[in-house]
Amino acid sequence: IIMKKDVCIPTLFLALCLCMVMAVPTFAADEVTNEPLENTTVEVNGYSFEIQEKVDEDFTIVRTYVNPDAQLMMVNDDLDKAKALLIALGMDEESLALWTDETILTVANSEKVTISDSYYEINDNKNTVTQIPADIAIREAEILANEQMDSFIRDSINVQENGIEPLKGTLYETSFIRVYHLVSYMGNAKYLFSTDFLWLTMPAFRDFDSLGSCAQLTTATPNTNIGSWSYDMTTVIDGQTENKRVNSTKFVDSGLENNGGWAGAAGVFRLPSSTYSNDGNSIKCDNFRAHYEYQGKMNSAGMSNQNFNSKGTYSHTTVRIGFTPSFSIEGGNIGVDVTPAPKYYTAWVEENYPG
């Protein structure tokens, strides 16, 4: 069901996210404009960029940057400036840490960059998925994440003292996510497609999930697909917490695919699970984020004014899988190839070639 509505470790990150949303000098994140704004100057770390932005009726934030240096054939090798551009386009620094420097510079030297940024509230009990404004998602997720952490610490102490593991309860019926999709036109009919994903609060059920992108009228370029993921691990020892960041580039399946007029790439991974321990070393996993990218080329490069859709997709399985799954493209959705089908959470970009 798709609906719309007007409406400690986790604290630090989510607070930073909220600051980022509030700091961009445009309009409020929940103000629906549905019409492109005139270019607005966005300043990040001493650099200025002309960014066009709108918020559609589903509260998806769409931003576009046209690179003035590309028209002058100027190459930007300033990595700090390149990172500042992506932050101006809404990327947060923790997600940007999953990108390679090469990809960051590729985007900065592209002719045009368009991003689509979507936030969702998921209620497993009601079986609903509701797209909501960014600021509301971040604020509500921060409140819920704090409640979950407090509960986990209390339950960890109880498990250590009494050996009884608690049920998930209502605190894990609702989760919040972010899907961030980027399309970068590199010139000569070549594109970079990337998708970033974040569980602002983790789901109750965790097994194999995937992240990827796919686009119409294109062919995926071999050996260009890469990705990485990370999460925060909190160890509770006798009621005290120790935190660390876990990073990985390992996927159980990763590759390119063409199917039904769509081409794309995705990586499959296993979500980390929180665990209780009788010895007092309980582990909580939060803030799982992932990045996956590939490059592609227009099938009819000689033609102009071709409109096509590009989609970033996170697929989430809801039943235990007794094998290591692969991924596939079905009807424009790229995700884990299992039955029953996973849930798909997406962000769209409507692109016009040649940009």
Side-chain angles (χ1 to χ4, degrees):
I1 301 172
I2 304 293
M3 301 174 9
K4 305 172 187 176
K5 75 177 185 182
D6 298 302
V7 286
C8 357
I9 205 191
T11 18
L12 177 58
F13 164 70
L14 293 168
L16 289 172
C17 274
L18 185 57
C19 289
M20 179 191 73
V21 171
M22 300 300 291
V24 176
T26 54
F27 44 82
D30 56 352
E31 178 187 344
V32 178
T33 61
N34 217 20
E35 293 294 334
L37 295 181
E38 294 183 1
N39 285 356
T40 301
T41 301
V42 180
E43 296 187 359
V44 177
N45 298 334
Y47 300 99
S48 297
F49 307 97
E50 296 298 313
I51 305 291
Q52 192 174 70
E53 179 175 327
K54 72 173 183 179
V55 179
D56 70 15
E57 65 275 9
D58 293 320
F59 305 110
T60 295
I61 303 168
V62 179
R63 297 186 179 98
T64 298
Y65 171 73
V66 178
N67 184 3
D69 292 340
Q71 308 299 322
L72 303 174
M73 304 298 289
M74 298 174 59
V75 176
N76 173 26
D77 58 1
D78 184 341
L79 186 59
D80 289 337
K81 182 179 180 181
K83 290 180 178 179
L85 169 62
L86 281 161
I87 293 173
L89 287 167
M91 178 60 60
D92 63 274
E93 293 189 11
E94 290 194 22
S95 293
L96 195 55
L98 298 176
W99 292 46
T100 66
D101 291 349
E102 179 181 359
T103 298
I104 293 171
L105 288 171
T106 295
V107 172
N109 284 290
S110 295
E111 294 185 13
K112 188 181 82 169
V113 185
T114 302
I115 70 94
S116 177
D117 197 2
S118 300
Y119 289 78
Y120 296 87
E121 177 182 347
I122 304 163
N123 188 297
D124 292 334
N125 186 47
K126 298 178 181 178
N127 194 30
T128 57
V129 179
T130 308
Q131 196 163 345
I132 62 177
D135 54 348
I136 293 178
I138 292 168
R139 183 173 65 247
E140 294 299 315
E142 180 180 4
I143 295 170
L144 180 57
N146 286 333
E147 292 175 348
Q148 290 176 347
M149 180 60 77
D150 291 343
S151 175
F152 187 83
I153 294 173
R154 291 194 304 270
D155 291 341
S156 299
I157 296 172
N158 185 47
V159 169
Q160 183 181 4
E161 294 178 349
N162 303 310
I164 301 175
E165 185 170 329
L167 299 175
K168 288 291 183 181
T170 58
L171 281 179
Y172 289 88
E173 289 180 353
T174 301
S175 52
F176 296 89
I177 63 172
R178 179 193 191 187
V179 187
Y180 179 101
H181 183 49
L182 178 146
V183 177
S184 179
Y185 180 57
M186 303 159 59
N188 297 320
K190 297 179 181 178
Y191 283 88
L192 169 73
F193 303 97
S194 77
T195 303
D196 287 78
F197 178 88
L198 169 65
W199 285 104
L200 283 87
T201 57
M202 298 294 289
F205 183 84
R206 306 179 200 180
D207 200 23
F208 290 104
D209 287 3
S210 73
L211 180 68
S213 308
C214 57
Q216 297 172 310
L217 307 180
T218 60
T219 300
T221 303
N223 302 316
T224 60
N225 56 302
I226 58 172
S228 58
W229 48 268
S230 66
Y231 63 93
D232 295 327
M233 185 172 74
T234 302
T235 303
V236 180
I237 305 174
D238 297 327
Q240 303 300 311
T241 59
E242 295 180 0
N243 304 317
K244 75 173 184 177
R245 192 77 178 160
V246 178
N247 299 277
S248 179
T249 57
K250 296 180 179 179
F251 293 85
V252 299
D253 186 43
S254 178
L256 308 171
E257 181 159 328
N258 296 274
N259 184 26
W262 293 81
V268 180
F269 43 81
R270 195 166 213 160
L271 278 182
S273 295
S274 300
T275 58
Y276 293 98
S277 174
N278 292 335
D279 64 6
N281 292 293
S282 297
I283 294 175
K284 191 173 192 304
C285 302
D286 287 298
N287 294 329
F288 181 93
R289 67 183 69 239
H291 169 81
Y292 203 87
E293 67 180 69
Y294 77 99
Q295 294 181 21
K297 190 170 184 177
M298 291 298 300
N299 293 333
S300 303
M303 300 177 63
S304 60
N305 295 321
Q306 296 185 80
N307 295 315
F308 68 94
N309 289 317
S310 176
K311 180 159 61 167
T313 303
Y314 185 94
S315 74
H316 176 57
T317 59
T318 55
V319 295
R320 192 69 59 194
I321 301 171
F323 58 92
T324 301
S326 59
F327 71 91
S328 64
I329 299 177
E330 295 291 340
N333 286 317
I334 189 166
V336 181
D337 188 7
V338 294
T339 302
K343 293 183 177 180
Y344 298 104
Y345 307 119
T346 63
W348 290 76
V349 167
E350 298 177 5
E351 184 67 7
N352 177 266
Y353 171 78

